[in-house]
Amino acid sequence: MKAVQFSEHGDRDVIEYGEFPDPTPDRDEVLVDIKAGALNHLDVWTRKGLPGLDLDMPHVPGSDGAGVVLEVGEDVTRFEAGDRVAVSAGVSCGKCEFCRHGEHSLCKGYHIIGEHVRGVHSEMAAVPEANLVPVPEGVSWETAAAAPLVFQTAWRMLVVRADVQPGEKVLVLGASGGVGHAAVQIADYIGAEVYATGSSQEKLDHAKEMGAEYAINYAEEDFADKISELTGKRGVDVVVDHIGKETYPDSLKSLAKGGRLVTCGATTGPNPGAGLNRIFWNQLSILGSTMASHGEADDVLELVWKGEFEPAIREVLPMSEADRAHEMLEEREGFGKVVVVPDSEYDR
Ligand code: ZN
């Protein structure tokens, strides 16, 4: 089969699309004929190399993908050949104390397809049964591939960790990114009043289409000042921050008393000043969140399949242009998800 792959960490020029041995499913795995994959910033980090990450090379990247079941291992019970499926990338052991409580993303052995083990940006992929979600007829392959990682991440942040309530004020930073645009839609669905930040008018218009009531151009104005102005100096109840060091001080400033900051990433750096004085005096909560449990992923994807939520598709490219797909993410061009399709399936 053909697969996107790299044999060493590095810049985009390490990415190739070429022959790779066909995968064979283990007893608990399903062989999927991949119709589409989608990129996440995680793919860029993984390609560049992360501390402690020791991959079997060549590595096939890709955490998001969708396609048709070709064959199943002997222990697989939920799927059969011909089923439409999407990949949900978090792998858990199913046995540790956290898994036994249904907290799969707290698993002691937690790892992510595409980051720690072989991914799905290839013509075929062998995926554990537990990591597949059924996809109804009528849902496009692009949508099925683009939704799982970012929508489950945003769902757990807002619904489970921050426990957002109807009528609360929620600020979503970087609202046109993958997690950001999912968070805007979910917060709006809950009935929160959504504030969004973005760096261009086009991205802010998009955030408003997704359900934001207020859009703030952080390139032109200080978002904490603007939140203070828009909320009559009160602040927001929840800030969704996946940006990290660059935004954290202003995220704390933007919170109302008793507010919650929920983070799933730190693209600009992991170590801002703690701001403990503001945290104790205003009685703030700082909440971490990673991916989601299988049940949480099922819940949010059900809503995507029904059309309640929609991943924005930025571009669909053949897998042979995976380097260009990585470039679009790294250069933050446009908004929404970049989808890659096996060249044999690409006919646009
Ligand atoms: Zn576990």
Side-chain angles (χ1 to χ4, degrees):
M1 69 161 183
K2 289 255 174 72
V4 179
Q5 55 196 292
F6 54 81
S7 297
E8 57 179 331
H9 294 293
D11 290 330
R12 291 190 291 272
D13 57 9
V14 301
I15 301 169
E16 290 172 36
Y17 184 61
E19 284 302 322
F20 195 91
D22 285 2
T24 45
D26 285 340
R27 304 174 65 103
D28 64 341
E29 287 183 334
V30 172
L31 186 65
V32 182
D33 177 18
I34 297 291
K35 300 292 185 186
L39 279 92
N40 295 286
H41 268 281
L42 187 56
D43 295 302
V44 173
W45 299 122
T46 304
R47 189 200 76 226
K48 288 180 173 172
L50 290 161
L53 184 64
D54 184 18
L55 294 175
D56 277 344
M57 294 292 188
H59 178 70
V60 176
S63 303
D64 274 328
V68 176
V69 173
L70 289 171
E71 62 178 84
V72 300
E74 56 191 292
D75 292 345
V76 170
T77 57
R78 291 167 57 227
F79 300 102
E80 57 184 31
D83 286 351
R84 291 162 57 93
V85 292
V87 176
S88 177
V91 182
S92 49
C93 74
K95 296 170 188 163
C96 72
E97 62 172 304
F98 299 103
C99 284
R100 289 176 62 81
H101 285 89
E103 288 286 5
H104 304 113
S105 64
L106 290 175
C107 176
K108 291 176 176 175
Y110 198 66
H111 59 277
I112 296 179
I113 292 170
E115 179 184 7
H116 307 96
V117 295
R118 187 182 302 161
V120 300
H121 289 172
S122 48
E123 289 182 317
M124 289 187 280
V127 180
E129 178 182 18
N131 291 92
L132 291 174
V133 180
V135 178
E137 293 287 342
V139 176
S140 73
W141 292 123
E142 287 84 358
T143 293
L149 191 144
V150 293
F151 274 88
Q152 68 179 281
T153 299
W155 184 262
R156 182 168 170 87
M157 291 176 88
L158 291 165
V159 175
V160 181
R161 301 292 288 139
D163 190 20
V164 172
Q165 298 298 310
E168 285 194 311
K169 298 179 196 302
V170 175
L171 168 62
V172 179
L173 303 183
S176 61
V179 169
H181 92 303
V184 168
Q185 294 180 56
I186 293 167
D188 180 51
Y189 173 79
I190 294 168
E193 187 173 271
V194 185
Y195 298 71
T197 72
S199 59
S200 71
Q201 194 54 47
E202 189 192 18
K203 290 177 177 180
L204 295 175
D205 289 345
H206 177 68
K208 283 196 158 177
E209 274 169 38
M210 296 280 144
E213 279 177 58
Y214 303 97
I216 302 165
N217 188 333
Y218 67 79
E220 286 175 2
E221 55 191 341
D222 184 308
F223 75 82
D225 289 347
K226 190 69 187 174
I227 287 292
S228 174
E229 181 192 319
L230 289 171
T231 62
K233 297 191 179 165
R234 176 188 180 273
V236 295
D237 301 290
V238 173
V239 176
V240 175
D241 188 344
H242 49 92
I243 297 170
K245 190 174 180 180
E246 217 168 72
T247 49
Y248 175 85
D250 278 352
S251 290
L252 288 191
K253 259 199 232 174
S254 300
L255 283 169
K257 291 209 167 200
R260 296 96 80 196
L261 182 153
V262 59
T263 171
C264 69
T267 47
T268 59
N271 292 311
L276 287 173
N277 48 348
R278 197 177 283 275
I279 290 173
F280 72 70
W281 186 251
N282 288 341
Q283 304 192 48
L284 307 178
S285 301
I286 311 298
L287 304 165
S289 196
T290 288
M291 300 289 282
S293 72
H294 292 312
E296 290 154 11
D298 288 351
D299 288 347
V300 70
L301 290 174
E302 194 63 41
L303 291 165
V304 175
W305 306 157
K306 281 182 184 164
E308 191 71 53
F309 303 139
E310 192 181 345
I313 308 293
R314 183 178 346 186
E315 182 79 273
V316 181
L317 293 168
M319 284 189 181
S320 58
E321 292 176 31
D323 54 343
R324 169 68 186 134
H326 278 238
E327 183 181 21
M328 292 185 80
L329 267 76
E330 284 184 280
E331 301 303 324
R332 301 188 181 281
E333 295 174 25
F335 48 80
K337 305 288 293 177
V338 179
V339 169
V340 287
V341 171
D343 284 44
S344 52
E345 307 268 348
Y346 188 84
D347 58 359
R348 271 146 288 209

